[in-house]
Amino acid sequence: MRGRLPRNTRGYAVIPPPKNSKEKALLDAMLRVDHAGEYGANRIYAGQMAVLGRSQSGPLIQHMWDQEKEHLKKFNEILAENRVRPTALLPFWNIAGFMLGASTALLGKAGAMACTVAVEESISEHYNSQIRALMELDPERYRELLQIIKQFRDEEMEHHDTGLDQEAESLPGYQILKTAIQVGCKAAIYVSERI
């Protein structure tokens, strides 16, 4: 019996083994980009905290960052369990995320919140597309992964709504900044799925 699982124990925690190479490639890309997104979000909040951590906005930013830390922790676990390599671009996302967070925070609370709205809206839309893909693939088979993605999507939307409540739209040039950040997010999603 050594090395064997008891009969009533499954051999995975969240994601069952893929049925074929196409499904493996899809799941690997999905997990890789989700991990990269949560990593980038952590770095953005780190940059915001470096600038605004001691301001009145600090506790709110810290709360959102704490949730992002939990998201990243979960995707670290899922990547390891499924032997999926993270994106090779993590060193770049490390610097780019921090710089985006810090530079928008230098514009003040409204700048940090505008960044939060843009990024979290992009991430939520991306999570929604993954939910649709998994529902089409096999919702029962991927029930646990769907639950995780839905929970994280809901928390990202909470951050988005918090940013709006904190007057992100009052920033002069809000729409231009939001659009630029979202173009960057879409590019980051595209390359992180592949590299």
Side-chain angles (χ1 to χ4, degrees), residues 77-181:
E77 291 169 6
I78 294 171
L79 251 61
E81 175 187 299
N82 292 280
R83 297 182 180 189
V84 176
R85 68 162 178 80
T87 178
L89 297 172
L90 283 184
F92 179 73
W93 300 146
N94 178 29
I95 296 166
F98 188 89
M99 294 300 294
L100 177 61
S103 63
T104 55
L106 286 170
L107 300 172
K109 178 181 90 170
M113 292 299 121
C115 177
T116 296
V117 168
V119 170
E120 302 296 21
E121 186 175 292
S122 295
I123 292 172
S124 296
E125 289 171 4
H126 181 70
Y127 276 152
N128 281 334
S129 71
Q130 289 185 340
I131 291 166
R132 285 189 295 276
L134 290 170
M135 292 296 287
E136 289 173 11
L137 192 60
D138 189 340
E140 187 52 38
R141 182 173 169 79
Y142 294 107
R143 182 175 38 88
E144 291 175 61
L145 180 58
L146 279 163
Q147 288 173 343
I148 291 167
I149 292 174
K150 286 176 183 178
Q151 175 192 338
F152 291 177
R153 185 248 352 245
D154 292 348
E155 290 173 359
E156 306 299 0
M157 280 310 298
E158 178 187 306
H159 300 169
H160 168 273
D161 294 348
T162 297
L164 291 175
D165 291 344
Q166 294 293 312
E167 303 176 0
E169 294 170 305
S170 71
L171 180 73
Y174 166 78
Q175 198 58 50
I176 295 168
L177 179 64
K178 179 183 173 196
T179 301
I181 291 170

Side-chain angles (χ1 to χ4, degrees), residues 17-56:
K19 295 177 184 175
N20 54 47
S21 60
K22 182 179 175 185
E23 189 172 290
K24 169 113 173 90
L26 173 75
L27 290 169
D28 284 3
M30 193 177 285
L31 297 173
R32 183 176 302 111
V33 74
D34 288 353
H35 176 265
E38 297 299 347
Y39 182 85
N42 268 271
R43 298 306 299 147
I44 290 167
Y45 284 115
Q48 289 180 351
M49 285 298 290
V51 175
L52 295 173
R54 294 185 180 185
S55 73
Q56 289 181 348

